[in-house]
């Protein structure tokens, strides 16, 4: 399958899942606008080897005006935006009564409100050109809860609700909107949680084993490459009637 002539924006793609998705889209022929913090140099070099146009925009997606600038920049650079992957996300772990209000606000802004802003700003261009793909990286935590993740679980449930609404509002068009619901993926976001578990005895291997065995029956991590492959499928014509799905890729987490 080829995405030659298509353009994509992947938020939070300097690391982890977003990078895996952006790399697969570039490999399939799409021009890609990367986004996220940190030095984008190595990531730009990595993706440019596929020969498509790859740019980076440093928007902080907690800021709606910066999301607008980024979408305008992508449309200007590529002559339009065909594929929007809302992936940027953060985590904070604490019991609800000790959950800092500032962390709650940040998680809702980055993990949920940014998805709304990016969609409302990208959709008019997709409608004008008569084709589009919106893929929201939610989580199994968009469908079930875990203790100590009040803001994250609330935001991810919200993303899945928003995904369904946008799927309905675009149902008679060639624009689709779906959500991915990964289980554990070994990225910096999850490594922090493994490090926190290993704080007592420094045994990272045990912490990693326990993290998986509590929730993920396969006892293996999902990979960014697997999520890139599924995103590519959702961008294909074969997936043109996949609408409003919350597609779990979770090593059996939700089968229990
Ligand atoms: P990660 O920490 O590796 O990457 C997060 C990316 O988002 C980075 O590029 C970072 O720079 C960027 N980012 C963070 N805050 C930002 C902001 N305000 N503005 C712009 N960019 C910002 O995390 P990851 O594990 O790859 O997570 C990516 C997405 O996948 C998140 O939405 C997360 O909730 C979701 N997810 C992760 C897992 C997992 O197990 N890792 C599971 C399910 C869902």
């Amino acid at each position: 399958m080829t995405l030659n002539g298509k353009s994509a924006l992947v938020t939070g793609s300097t690391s982890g899942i977003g990078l895996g998705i952006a790399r697969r889209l570039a490999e399939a022929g799409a021009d890609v606008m990367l986004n996220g913090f940190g030095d984008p140099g190595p990531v730009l070099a990595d993706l440019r080897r596929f020969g498509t146009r790859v740019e980076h925009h440093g928007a902080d997606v907690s800021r709606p005006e910066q999301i607008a600038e980024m979408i305008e920049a992508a449309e200007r650079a590529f002559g339009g935006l065909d594929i929007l992957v809302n992936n940027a996300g953060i985590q904070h772990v604490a019991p609800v009564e000790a959950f800092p209000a500032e962390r709650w606000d940040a998680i809702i802004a980055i993990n949920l409100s940014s998805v709304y802003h990016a969609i409302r700003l990208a959709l008019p261009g997709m409608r004008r050109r008569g084709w589009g793909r919106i893929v929201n990286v939610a989580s199994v935590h968009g469908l079930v809860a875990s203790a100590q993740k009040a803001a994250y679980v609330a935001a991810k449930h919200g993303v899945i609700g928003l995904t369904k609404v946008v799927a309905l509002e675009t149902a008679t068009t060639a624009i689709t909107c779906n959500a991915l619901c990964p289980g554990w993926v070994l990225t910096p976001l999850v490594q922090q949680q493994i490090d926190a578990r290993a704080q007592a005895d420094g045994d990272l291997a045990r912490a990693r084993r326990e993290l998986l065995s509590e929730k993920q029956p396969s006892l293996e991590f999902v990979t960014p490459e697997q999520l890139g492959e599924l995103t590519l499928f959702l961008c294909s014509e074969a997936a043109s009637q996949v609408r409003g799905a919350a597609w779990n890729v979770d090593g059996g987490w939700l089968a229990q």
Side-chain angles (χ1 to χ4, degrees):
M1 189 180 56
T2 175
L3 292 179
N4 285 342
K6 301 284 192 218
S7 60
L9 165 64
V10 185
T11 68
S13 48
T14 49
S15 163
I17 294 170
L19 176 54
I21 292 174
R23 188 183 284 127
R24 191 66 187 97
L25 297 182
E27 191 183 16
D31 293 330
V32 176
M33 180 67 82
L34 299 167
N35 159 254
F37 299 144
D39 174 12
V43 181
L44 281 168
D46 172 24
L47 266 68
R48 281 178 178 156
R49 72 200 150 97
F50 298 115
T52 65
R53 293 188 55 194
V54 184
E55 307 292 340
H56 172 263
H57 194 287
D60 176 344
V61 301
S62 70
R63 309 277 299 275
E65 73 284 2
Q66 293 189 21
I67 299 175
E69 285 166 17
M70 176 169 63
I71 289 183
E72 273 171 36
E75 290 180 333
R76 225 178 14 253
F78 305 139
L81 183 59
D82 304 304
I83 298 164
L84 169 66
V85 181
N86 287 302
N87 167 79
I90 58 169
Q91 177 62 287
H92 185 81
V93 179
V96 68
E97 67 273 35
F99 210 93
E102 171 276 322
R103 285 291 84 195
W104 171 276
D105 289 343
I107 289 176
I108 297 299
I110 293 167
N111 295 18
L112 175 58
S113 299
S114 78
V115 182
Y116 149 71
H117 289 296
I119 290 173
R120 83 178 162 77
L121 292 161
L123 202 45
M126 291 179 181
R127 285 195 193 276
R128 268 197 306 278
R129 287 189 307 286
W131 194 90
R133 292 288 186 268
I134 301 170
V135 178
N136 298 323
V137 180
S139 166
V140 285
H141 285 120
L143 295 164
V144 294
S146 293
Q148 309 228 343
K149 296 186 174 174
Y152 188 87
V153 169
K156 294 298 187 182
H157 275 67
V159 168
I160 291 177
L162 174 61
T163 301
K164 292 176 184 171
V165 171
V166 175
L168 291 178
E169 293 183 5
T170 54
T172 60
T173 74
I175 301 164
T176 69
C177 181
N178 293 289
L180 302 187
C181 299
W184 292 123
V185 187
L186 190 55
T187 66
L189 181 141
V190 165
Q191 188 61 47
Q192 281 171 16
Q193 296 173 58
I194 294 171
D195 293 347
R197 280 169 182 256
Q199 230 166 18
D201 60 2
D203 187 345
L204 283 168
R206 178 197 52 77
R208 193 187 279 201
R209 237 179 2 257
E210 280 181 12
L211 178 107
L212 282 171
S213 63
E214 279 170 15
K215 301 280 185 182
Q216 199 147 305
S218 67
L219 303 179
E220 287 180 22
F221 288 102
V222 178
T223 67
E225 290 73 23
Q226 289 164 345
L227 297 168
E229 210 62 53
L230 180 52
T231 303
L232 186 59
F233 170 68
L234 289 172
C235 292
S236 72
E237 288 314 302
S240 62
Q241 291 310 321
V242 181
R243 292 173 185 268
W247 193 321
N248 48 309
V249 185
D250 63 2
W253 186 319
L254 294 183
Q256 298 166 97

